[in-house]
Amino acid sequence: MDFLNHYVQIVLLGIVEGVTEFLPISSTGHLLIAEELGLGHEPDVFNVVIQAGAILAVVFIYWGKIMDLFGNLDKPEARNYLMKIALAFAVTSAVSLVIIKHFHLKLPETLTPVAWATLIGGLVIFAIEFLARNLYAHEDVSWVEAALMGLAQVLAGVFPGTSRSGATIMTGLAMGMKRPAATQFSFLLGIPTMFAASALDTWRYRKDLTGADHQLVIDILIGFTVSGIVAFFVVKWLLRFVQSHTFNGFAVYRVILGIVLLTALATHAIPEGEDAKAKAGAAAKAEGAPGGAVGANEVSRNRGTDLVITEVSGPGLHTFATNTVTDGGVTAPIGPMRIPATNADSAPIAPGTAPAQ
């Protein structure tokens, strides 16, 4: 049953990603919310790479447009459009590399920043939709608009819960672009952006992806496939929707969700605080294992630590355990964490035991 539940959770996470990637409500934020509310904590590389499945859906949908652009490079309109996408992508890449180098950003350990970004993002959508009514709407994207939409993608990366597609589309609307034109440019810009982000994270976490059990790879492949299929139909629907509707409905949803999350966090209906700190401490004890994923080599290096397994279940050679970390005599639960089912001596790790000394 635990084996089945695990894959049901992975499929559900893929569905969440596919539904939310291109709607202005933030896929990363919703994945973090879903994981916090019971779908398990997957490594950051899982959340990033399955986004590529959703982006692949856009490639299929816009395949004719893409081929038309590259097939007419001799025409200024097609050439300039591609160069503007390249400019926006270059702005995103350059600024992101600087931020990553100096600030070492990672996905938040708690839902508080996601909740605030969700709420504020909804209010911003309301404001821009009101402003856009008084602007002269145009179809073409200018060089300045392309650069600003590239910066908007960075904003979404810095503040999970903002929404990459929402930030870029709203930037286009604020500059006077028509809704369909801003949406198309946002989606096409997302193709190189998200594929590059997925490739970078795949390289960064390549040791986890090439582990002996391959369980993480299987999870990513399932999430990737599900998110791509779901995103295909969501994008098809959204492209029809923007022809005659505003984004105010999504703003209402964001404001309500943000308020609900902040209220739940304030009343401790959603656990945070000390539990989150304990979880962060556990990640530190794993010597930097990304997203809570602890490989066999990490277990070997951390022999003699105070990591104790209290429950064992899950598919393949991986277990999904509830752990405790004892620090200075204080024991705190840290929730589910991905741990190998065997220690360095290939002996099964039983509940209530720690890695062999």
Side-chain angles (χ1 to χ4, degrees):
M1 181 60 67
D2 291 324
F3 179 89
L4 178 61
N5 287 341
H6 169 69
Y7 286 116
V8 169
Q9 291 176 350
I10 295 299
V11 169
L12 289 175
L13 289 174
I15 292 173
V16 170
E17 165 60 30
V19 170
T20 60
E21 176 62 39
F22 296 102
L23 301 182
I25 56 177
S26 177
S27 61
T28 301
H30 277 75
L31 283 174
L32 292 173
I33 293 169
E35 291 177 357
E36 193 69 28
L37 294 181
L39 289 186
H41 291 272
E42 293 299 320
D44 289 356
V45 64
F46 174 88
N47 293 338
V48 174
V49 175
I50 68 170
Q51 292 177 342
I55 294 295
L56 189 60
V58 172
V59 173
F60 285 118
I61 291 172
Y62 278 104
W63 184 253
K65 176 67 175 180
I66 295 171
M67 290 297 99
D68 181 65
L69 288 171
F70 281 100
N72 291 280
L73 290 176
D74 56 325
K75 297 180 180 179
E77 295 82 3
R79 188 168 58 249
N80 286 341
Y81 196 89
L82 286 172
M83 290 177 65
K84 289 169 184 175
I85 292 176
L87 170 64
F89 175 69
V91 169
T92 300
S93 302
V95 177
S96 296
L97 288 175
V98 171
I99 292 176
I100 291 173
K101 180 178 179 180
H102 292 282
F103 297 98
H104 307 289
L105 295 178
K106 61 178 183 178
L107 293 179
E109 297 287 343
T110 69
L111 287 182
T112 299
V114 173
W116 278 111
T118 299
L119 174 60
I120 294 172
L123 297 176
V124 170
I125 292 176
F126 276 131
I128 291 178
E129 283 287 5
F130 178 80
L131 172 67
R133 294 188 302 175
N134 301 314
L135 297 176
Y136 174 75
H138 56 276
E139 294 279 357
D140 296 332
V141 56
S142 69
W143 293 99
V144 172
E145 290 165 352
L148 289 175
M149 292 173 84
L151 284 174
Q153 290 196 128
V154 178
L155 181 68
V158 173
F159 300 104
T162 300
S163 170
R164 186 206 66 81
S165 61
T168 50
I169 293 172
M170 289 301 113
T171 298
L173 287 183
M175 298 297 292
M177 292 180 65
K178 289 185 177 180
R179 210 169 275 102
T183 301
Q184 175 178 275
F185 189 84
S186 170
F187 287 180
L188 291 174
L189 173 59
I191 294 174
T193 301
M194 295 312 303
F195 276 149
S198 297
L200 179 61
D201 262 36
T202 300
W203 174 255
R204 287 173 58 194
Y205 300 122
R206 60 191 181 278
K207 291 183 179 179
D208 298 295
L209 296 175
T210 56
D213 55 85
H214 301 299
Q215 183 60 50
L216 179 57
V217 177
I218 294 174
D219 292 349
I220 289 176
L221 288 176
I222 294 173
F224 178 96
T225 303
V226 172
S227 69
I229 294 172
V230 174
F232 181 87
F233 294 102
V234 172
V235 172
K236 283 282 193 180
W237 170 82
L238 185 61
L239 292 177
R240 293 192 300 270
F241 178 87
V242 299
Q243 298 292 330
S244 56
H245 296 79
T246 70
F247 289 104
N248 284 333
F250 297 109
V252 171
Y253 169 79
R254 291 183 66 117
V255 169
I256 293 175
L257 178 61
I259 292 174
V260 169
L261 286 175
L262 289 172
T263 302
L265 291 167
T267 58
H268 304 291
I270 298 178
E272 203 168 47
E274 294 304 316
D275 286 352
K277 291 179 181 179
K279 187 190 301 180
K285 289 178 180 293
E287 296 186 355
V294 184
N297 54 334
E298 281 79 11
V299 171
S300 177
R301 287 202 305 271
N302 284 281
R303 284 185 169 194
T305 65
D306 45 16
L307 182 64
V308 178
I309 300 175
T310 59
E311 178 183 350
V312 175
S313 62
L317 295 178
H318 273 72
T319 70
F320 293 85
T322 301
N323 310 278
T324 59
V325 170
T326 304
D327 189 5
V330 178
T331 301
I334 62 173
M337 176 179 286
R338 188 187 300 275
I339 298 177
T342 59
N343 62 15
D345 299 319
S346 298
I349 300 178
T353 64
Q357 299 292 323

